[in-house]
Amino acid sequence: MTAVLGYMKWRIKPDPARQTPIRYVQCRNCEEKSPIEGSQAECDLWAMDHAGRTGHRGYREFAASDLIATPVRGPR
Ligand SMILES: [Zn+2]
């Protein structure tokens, strides 16, 4: 996405320093949550292990991507 804000044109794009979304899973039955991981498989393993230990069956997955804003040079 590109927009002109405050006399300068900006572009927002995925941060090249972190291209993989960060993820974690939170149990909906207690306060426990998985470590922040890069892969869905690791989050799924945490949830299955938690279910095996506690019997808790409800989970919520969170995933987020880092973005970076850069000024666009050149004529508007
Ligand atoms: Zn739980």
Side-chain angles (χ1 to χ4, degrees), residues 5-44:
L5 300 171
Y7 304 107
M8 186 173 265
K9 195 172 183 180
W10 290 87
R11 176 174 291 134
I12 190 89
K13 61 183 182 178
D15 186 345
R18 183 187 273 281
Q19 294 185 339
T20 304
I22 56 173
R23 300 175 180 278
Y24 70 92
V25 173
Q26 185 166 13
C27 178
R28 293 189 303 155
N29 300 113
C30 72
E31 298 294 319
E32 286 194 48
K33 60 185 174 186
S34 72
I36 295 175
E37 303 284 1
S39 86
Q40 185 168 8
E42 291 170 295
C43 291
D44 290 350

